[in-house]
Structure formats: C-alpha cells, structure tokens
Amino acid sequence: MKRKLWALAALLACLAVFYWLSGYRFTEEGALSAGFPGKYRIVLSENTAYGKAVLFENLADGTFGGARLEKAVGYLYRHDGQAYGQFLEEGQPFEAGGYGSGKGEDRFQVFLKAAPESGIRTIAVGNHLEEKGPSVPYSMTLYDVMERPNEYEWSELTESYALFVLDDYSEKTWTIRAFDESGKLVAHKRFAGQPEYVSIQGEEFGLTYEDVSASPLASGSPTGKKSIRTVPLEIGGKSVELILHEDEKIPTDIYARLQDGEELYDLGLVTSYGMDGVQDITAADVTGDGVKELLVTGEMGASYAELKVVRREPATGEWAEALKMGSPSFLDLDGDGREELLGVSTGSLPSYVMLYRWAGSGFQAADIGRQLGGGSVSVNKQDGGNRLLYEKDGALLLYQLQGSRLIPVGYN
C-alpha cells in the first residue's frame, strides 16, 4: 500500500514539475511572467475558447498590452503569446493594439487605453459604413451602434481600458470609435488609420428659395395624335381622365391631355421613348394642403426624366402646370417623416440637388450647390437617414436639412 502511495506521489510530483517547467501557473499574472519575464498587473480578462484573453499593464514602464493564456486541467494557465509595449502619446484620444491572426473562435483581440482628459466613456469595435471611403464624412452616435448588435461590439471603459475578443482580424474588427457619456462621437480609428479626435466640419447655412412660375394649361383637342390609353383619376376633388396620345408621325413621342368633363387640357410631351418611357402617373398631395395633384413622370433622355405637377386651383377651378422639373426624387431629408421633393442629377457633372417646396400659392426652388458656393452635391444615405454630401476642391462636408437650414453633421 505504501509503495502505491509513494508511486502516486512521485507521479504527481513529476506532473507538477512538468507543468511548472512548461510555464503553467496558478494565476494569470504568474503565467504571464513565466512566459514573458517581468512584473505585470492584469487589468481585464475574458474567458475564451482556449482559456483567457487578458489586458495587462507593465509595472516597470507603464506600457500595456494583450496576451493569450492557455488553460489546462481546469485551473492552470500558460502564456501563449502577446502584443506589448503600447503607450499613449501626448494628444492622442486613445491608443489601441491587436493580437492574433487567422479565423476561428476568439482568435483576435483588441485592447486599448483612453486618455483620461478625452472624455471617452464607451468604445465600439465594428463598422456598418464599409461602403464609405476613409475620406468620406459620416454621422454617428452610440445609439446608432447599439441599434446594430450584429455589426458592433461595445463596452464601457474600466480604469480607462477596454478589451474585446473577436473571431478574426478584418477591416471591420480593426475600426474603432469612442463615445462620451452622452453618446456623442469623440474619436475614431478608421481601418489602417491612427486614433484621432473627430470634429464636425462646415458651418450652418440658411437656404434661399426662388419662386417657380406656374403655367395655365391650354385647352383644345389634339391634332395628328392617336389616343392609346386612358387613366381615370381623382384630382383636386374631381373625377378626371388623363389621355395619352401617340404622335402619328413620331410614334415614340407620347403626349398627354387632361379631360375634365367636356374640356380637354394639353399637358404637352410626356416622353420621347414610347409608352415604356412613361414612368409614373399618379395622384398625390405634394403641396401638403390636403388636395391631390396630378403627377406625370416620363423619360426625356438616356439619364433624364421629367416630372409635371398639375394642379386645380380650388378658388377658380382652373388647371395649371404648377411645376415642371427634371430627375425627380422623393426623400425625407429632415427626418420629420414627410418626403421632400428633390431634383437630383443622374449623370451630369458636377452633380446637383435642387430642393422644392410649396409656398402656399406656388412652388419654390433652392439650388443647394450654387448657394454653397459651387461644387458637387449628392444625396448620401447613412444610418437610415438621408444627408447631403457636398464636395468642392477636394473638401467633403456632410449636411442635414432642418427646416430651411443646412446643419453640418459630418465627422472627418
């Protein structure tokens, strides 16, 4: 019996010596020091598929790093690689490091330290704006991050530090954003870039609108035209019909007439591309006065469509072309749930955006690019909203419409 006990004790002693010489220790700090001699303090640790991921401070020089610790027999740890020597430079919002490669469960870790004076409260790793280039301004809050749990990992700081354990290294997992206590974006590190503070670029700008002339519809019967389609509609509180005519000499030219009782009103050319070029015929209230107007959209060129808005004046009963404009688009630019009417270039350069509004007695238009000083303007979809991207002489600015003002919202 004693021999068996001695044999068991000898076996356990051999195992203990083997594990000790192999670098296994009972504590995370001990395992880290055994694998990479020094004195360390473990600030954060996360359980992983292989054992532990840790963020540590080097007590000798104040630098920090991240390490992978392998776990064995339930309670022993062994150093399995690390990245070290990270430190905050003066003026930096935060410093970040990464360790790991390849793909697989918990293969990559991101660790960072924020400057105490930065005001940073929460860190997010991830990106849902991957189609935007690194020079394109964008708008974002912590709320936008938290709405997308499949795109981001986020964590509040602990002693100015944060640690993330991810499955692989990618552009998404090496994009980092930092937010303050209110959820406002403070700093970011775009992929392949350095951590930097962000600021909104541009100045608030008031738009000036100009009146758009309306044209009364001429009455009369068409000549040299063949009726090919009739569309019944409710416009201005009346039942009317829109009649489409094909030009007998040029069959691809489609004209329209509005029939109100016995009267016919001429809307002119709708498209030069045959019936396939008639994009839309609808009744909608685009003026916001509770009365529907007639909207007819047709192709006029390879990348150009034209919208006619026909309105019946409630006071006089007269029909008029209240608006004729090119390349129409309906988008909610100010986030109030109601779509604005825009004219957006679909091929011309520089790109433009014309904004239209109803002013009570007629339409008004604002040429956004011209009022900003020339350059290119386009609609930029971000975070479920629509922003205006302005570019001139290499500078990029992002605006959101609020009433009659353009508010800069883009971080660079």
Side-chain angles (χ1 to χ4, degrees), residues 18-153:
F18 169 77
Y19 278 112
W20 182 268
L21 293 177
S22 298
Y24 285 97
R25 299 293 187 271
F26 288 104
T27 65
E28 297 169 4
E29 286 90 347
L32 188 59
S33 296
F36 194 75
K39 194 171 183 180
Y40 305 101
R41 180 176 78 94
I42 303 297
V43 182
L44 293 168
S45 67
E46 293 282 344
N47 291 321
T48 66
Y50 49 80
K52 289 273 190 178
V54 299
L55 186 157
F56 62 87
E57 276 186 345
N58 187 324
L59 298 179
D61 59 14
T63 60
F64 69 98
R68 187 162 52 205
L69 301 180
E70 182 185 89
K71 196 172 185 180
V73 295
Y75 52 85
L76 294 177
Y77 297 99
R78 184 180 70 171
H79 176 266
D80 191 34
Q82 69 179 28
Y84 62 95
Q86 305 293 135
F87 64 94
L88 266 170
E89 295 184 7
E90 186 176 352
Q92 272 190 304
F94 62 86
E95 173 62 16
Y99 180 72
S101 61
K103 292 188 177 182
E105 188 177 1
D106 301 338
R107 298 302 300 173
F108 182 62
Q109 63 188 71
V110 174
F111 46 90
L112 61 84
K113 181 179 183 180
E117 69 276 9
S118 66
I120 295 172
R121 174 76 172 271
T122 304
I123 298 292
V125 175
N127 192 24
H128 73 284
L129 302 174
E130 292 177 277
E131 73 281 4
K132 310 299 179 188
S135 62
V136 177
Y138 67 95
S139 61
M140 184 180 293
T141 66
L142 182 58
Y143 177 76
D144 298 318
V145 169
M146 297 175 72
E147 276 194 320
R148 297 171 172 83
N150 294 329
E151 303 285 346
Y152 291 92
E153 299 281 345

Side-chain angles (χ1 to χ4, degrees), residues 132-138 190 389 391 394-397 411-412:
K132 310 299 179 188
S135 62
V136 177
Y138 67 95
R190 289 181 165 183
L389 182 64
E391 180 177 5
L396 290 167
L397 301 175
Y411 292 103
N412 289 74

Side-chain angles (χ1 to χ4, degrees), residues 15 32 37 49 61 79 82 105 112 180 185 189-190 213 226 263 268 278 293 321 352 360 385:
L15 287 174
L32 188 59
D61 59 14
H79 176 266
Q82 69 179 28
E105 188 177 1
L112 61 84
D180 66 11
L185 186 65
K189 190 200 82 65
R190 289 181 165 183
S213 299
K226 180 176 67 175
E263 295 292 330
V278 181
E293 290 79 40
E321 183 183 82
Y352 65 84

Side-chain angles (χ1 to χ4, degrees), residues 166-344:
L166 309 160
D167 288 340
D168 62 354
Y169 167 78
S170 66
E171 181 175 343
K172 180 177 291 187
T173 59
W174 197 226
T175 298
I176 304 170
R177 294 182 174 91
F179 302 88
D180 66 11
E181 188 173 7
S182 68
K184 179 183 176 182
L185 186 65
V186 174
H188 66 194
K189 190 200 82 65
R190 289 181 165 183
F191 181 72
Q194 295 297 316
E196 59 184 354
Y197 286 102
V198 297
S199 60
I200 293 178
Q201 304 294 313
E203 297 181 357
E204 188 173 330
F205 188 83
L207 291 174
T208 301
Y209 287 82
E210 299 177 354
D211 292 335
V212 177
S213 299
S215 302
L217 293 183
S219 59
S221 300
T223 58
K225 310 289 190 297
K226 180 176 67 175
S227 175
I228 55 176
R229 184 183 173 190
T230 299
V231 182
L233 296 159
E234 287 287 332
I235 304 294
K238 294 199 68 177
S239 296
V240 297
E241 291 182 338
L242 185 71
I243 305 171
L244 298 176
H245 300 269
E246 180 184 280
D247 190 289
E248 293 179 349
K249 293 183 178 179
I250 309 175
T252 54
D253 285 354
I254 305 298
Y255 293 80
R257 299 292 189 278
L258 179 69
Q259 183 161 7
D260 179 8
E262 298 297 323
E263 295 292 330
L264 277 175
Y265 297 92
D266 184 14
L267 272 69
L269 182 67
V270 172
T271 179
S272 296
Y273 289 82
M275 285 300 295
D276 289 340
V278 181
Q279 293 184 348
D280 190 41
I281 298 172
T282 190
D285 179 16
V286 294
T287 61
D289 63 356
V291 179
K292 291 182 178 180
E293 290 79 40
L294 169 62
L295 280 66
V296 182
T297 308
E299 294 180 29
M300 291 296 191
S303 59
Y304 178 78
E306 189 172 83
L307 168 67
K308 299 175 187 285
V309 179
V310 175
R311 174 180 170 83
R312 182 176 181 270
E313 293 297 332
T316 64
E318 295 180 350
W319 292 95
E321 183 183 82
L323 177 66
K324 181 168 71 174
M325 47 87 68
S327 302
S329 181
F330 290 90
L331 294 170
D332 181 9
L333 286 182
D334 54 12
D336 65 353
R338 181 179 174 84
E339 293 180 330
E340 278 71 43
L341 174 56
L342 309 174
V344 180

